[in-house]
Amino acid sequence: MDERINESLDILIENEALIGHELRSMLKSFKEEKSVLGYSFGKLCYCHYEAFTECLDEDIYKVAAAIELLILSFDIIDDLQDKDSDYSWSTTPELSFNVALAMLVMASRIIRETSFEHKNTAVQILEDYALRSINGQQLDLLNICRDDQSYIQMIDQKSGSLTAMSCLIGEVLAKGEISHEVEEYGKYIGIIQQIKNDIQSLKTWGPKNDLLNKRYSLPIIYLLAQKNDVSNAVTNYYNNDKADFLDNNATENMLTNGGAIRYAITVKNVYKFKALNKLEDVAISELGKDYLKRLMK
């Protein structure tokens, strides 16, 4: 599946007549750089299309590729905003923004030019959920979601929208309508993946660590709510512009052994069980369900 989506991406990029050599070259390069991670969003679209159709249209690979273009554009913009990426696009941010913009336009146009009966509805879903994700990204950059509820609502928008979008586009292309169950577990998959990323961020005490960058995530929100010497030191670090001293060992120990990481894992598992419950009500193949369950781990 990754190979088929990658082939479609290569063809679509090569055949786009309205971009020049420089833009095309960068687009190819960025695509190759991210391809090693696989095309999970495109696969979400494909497996939901396959689940609800009786006759496979080969254009579904184009749609999966279009979704991956949109996701890559969001990844590039996110990395440029955060200024914490090792990818090549961070070395030329001004030029890279143009590549991301080209990907965004191409994504909707590719779907619109397919042979699917319900392609316009699919484009509408892509635009609606992309805007919802951008709103979540804005809230994340503002760093204002400092309690559990507002933080979950933010990642529901930022991350959950993109996974739900991928599932729903596949479903609507197959049968012309979408279901509440697919939308719900689609969102939950994005929430689960974001919480996993939040936990991973805290395992490396370096430039990408959310705590050192004074960012908020579920483990950090939990830690800050504790009333002890470590949480007080972290609170002071967050509240002051100057780089207050942090005891790295004590802080790492509190995150790991003081309940913060366990709390985040517990919340992740709550959404995993919610997603599994919704998945049981959807007539999708066992192979498809296995793939979805792997994303929920």
Side-chain angles (χ1 to χ4, degrees), residues 34 41 70-80 89:
K34 262 302 178 83
F41 292 89
L70 180 135
I71 298 300
L72 180 53
S73 73
F74 278 24
D75 285 343
I76 291 170
I77 293 169
D78 184 42
D79 288 343
L80 295 178
W89 47 78

Side-chain angles (χ1 to χ4, degrees), residues 81-97:
Q81 289 171 331
D82 290 342
K83 300 182 179 69
D84 68 351
S85 170
D86 297 326
Y87 288 108
S88 63
W89 47 78
S90 296
T91 62
T92 55
E94 299 87 354
L95 299 175
S96 299
F97 267 119

Side-chain angles (χ1 to χ4, degrees), residues 247-262:
D247 186 327
N248 292 2
N249 291 331
T251 307
E252 283 188 273
N253 182 64
M254 183 59 66
L255 284 167
T256 304
N257 301 316
I261 299 295
R262 287 198 301 273

Side-chain angles (χ1 to χ4, degrees), residues 216-271:
Y216 289 88
S217 66
L218 281 182
I220 294 170
I221 289 168
Y222 180 93
L223 174 63
L224 291 171
Q226 310 308 302
K227 301 302 177 185
N228 53 48
D229 291 342
V230 173
S231 65
N232 290 337
V234 174
T235 298
N236 289 334
Y237 175 72
Y238 270 57
N239 290 338
N240 296 328
D241 291 332
K242 60 182 174 44
D244 282 8
F245 172 76
L246 272 181
D247 186 327
N248 292 2
N249 291 331
T251 307
E252 283 188 273
N253 182 64
M254 183 59 66
L255 284 167
T256 304
N257 301 316
I261 299 295
R262 287 198 301 273
Y263 169 70
I265 292 172
T266 300
V267 174
K268 176 183 74 70
N269 287 335
V270 167
Y271 281 94

Side-chain angles (χ1 to χ4, degrees), residues 137-182:
Q137 171 71 355
Q138 183 81 346
L139 294 173
D140 190 22
L141 287 171
L142 289 169
N143 206 28
I144 56 176
C145 300
R146 303 181 181 185
D147 61 83
D148 301 31
Q149 184 177 3
S150 64
Y151 186 79
I152 291 293
Q153 288 172 347
M154 181 272 290
I155 62 173
D156 180 319
Q157 291 186 51
K158 177 184 175 181
S159 304
S161 294
L162 298 179
T163 43
M165 174 197 75
S166 305
C167 299
L168 293 173
I169 287 176
E171 183 182 22
V172 82
L173 289 176
K175 61 180 187 178
E177 58 185 16
I178 59 175
S179 57
H180 175 72
E181 291 80 11
V182 171

Side-chain angles (χ1 to χ4, degrees), residues 6-252:
N6 194 58
E7 288 172 7
S8 292
L9 280 166
D10 287 337
I11 293 169
L12 291 166
I13 293 169
E14 190 62 40
N15 291 344
E16 179 48 66
L18 296 178
I19 58 175
H21 170 73
E22 295 81 4
L23 199 57
R24 193 186 320 277
S25 177
M26 291 183 73
L27 209 160
K28 286 180 180 179
S29 174
F30 294 170
K31 188 273 296 183
E32 286 299 323
E33 206 165 345
K34 262 302 178 83
S35 65
V36 295
L37 299 176
Y39 298 115
S40 57
F41 292 89
K43 286 187 282 190
L44 280 174
C45 173
Y46 179 89
C47 77
H48 284 84
Y49 172 75
E50 184 184 45
F52 300 113
T53 190
E54 295 179 357
C55 182
L56 189 73
D57 188 328
E58 291 289 309
D59 271 2
I60 191 60
Y61 296 108
K62 292 182 182 178
V63 176
I67 289 172
E68 288 294 343
L69 281 178
L70 180 135
I71 298 300
L72 180 53
S73 73
F74 278 24
D75 285 343
I76 291 170
I77 293 169
D78 184 42
D79 288 343
L80 295 178
Q81 289 171 331
D82 290 342
K83 300 182 179 69
D84 68 351
S85 170
D86 297 326
Y87 288 108
S88 63
W89 47 78
S90 296
T91 62
T92 55
E94 299 87 354
L95 299 175
S96 299
F97 267 119
N98 281 337
V99 179
L101 290 172
M103 290 177 179
L104 280 172
V105 175
M106 288 172 65
S108 59
R109 193 163 78 168
I110 288 166
I111 298 174
R112 196 173 284 112
E113 291 177 353
T114 61
S115 57
F116 290 107
E117 179 183 357
H118 304 291
K119 60 188 178 182
N120 290 332
T121 307
V123 171
Q124 185 68 54
I125 291 171
L126 181 134
E127 293 172 349
D128 289 350
Y129 282 79
L131 281 173
R132 193 171 180 269
S133 179
I134 292 168
N135 190 66
Q137 171 71 355
Q138 183 81 346
L139 294 173
D140 190 22
L141 287 171
L142 289 169
N143 206 28
I144 56 176
C145 300
R146 303 181 181 185
D147 61 83
D148 301 31
Q149 184 177 3
S150 64
Y151 186 79
I152 291 293
Q153 288 172 347
M154 181 272 290
I155 62 173
D156 180 319
Q157 291 186 51
K158 177 184 175 181
S159 304
S161 294
L162 298 179
T163 43
M165 174 197 75
S166 305
C167 299
L168 293 173
I169 287 176
E171 183 182 22
V172 82
L173 289 176
K175 61 180 187 178
E177 58 185 16
I178 59 175
S179 57
H180 175 72
E181 291 80 11
V182 171
E183 180 184 31
E184 287 297 293
Y185 72 62
K187 288 193 299 183
Y188 296 155
I189 288 171
I191 292 172
I192 290 164
Q193 293 296 323
Q194 184 61 57
I195 294 174
K196 286 166 64 176
N197 290 343
D198 292 344
I199 294 170
Q200 190 62 40
S201 161
L202 297 174
K203 291 185 176 180
T204 303
W205 208 255
K208 297 184 180 181
N209 184 289
D210 282 339
L211 191 147
L212 293 180
N213 288 313
K214 301 182 179 181
R215 305 292 302 170
Y216 289 88
S217 66
L218 281 182
I220 294 170
I221 289 168
Y222 180 93
L223 174 63
L224 291 171
Q226 310 308 302
K227 301 302 177 185
N228 53 48
D229 291 342
V230 173
S231 65
N232 290 337
V234 174
T235 298
N236 289 334
Y237 175 72
Y238 270 57
N239 290 338
N240 296 328
D241 291 332
K242 60 182 174 44
D244 282 8
F245 172 76
L246 272 181
D247 186 327
N248 292 2
N249 291 331
T251 307
E252 283 188 273

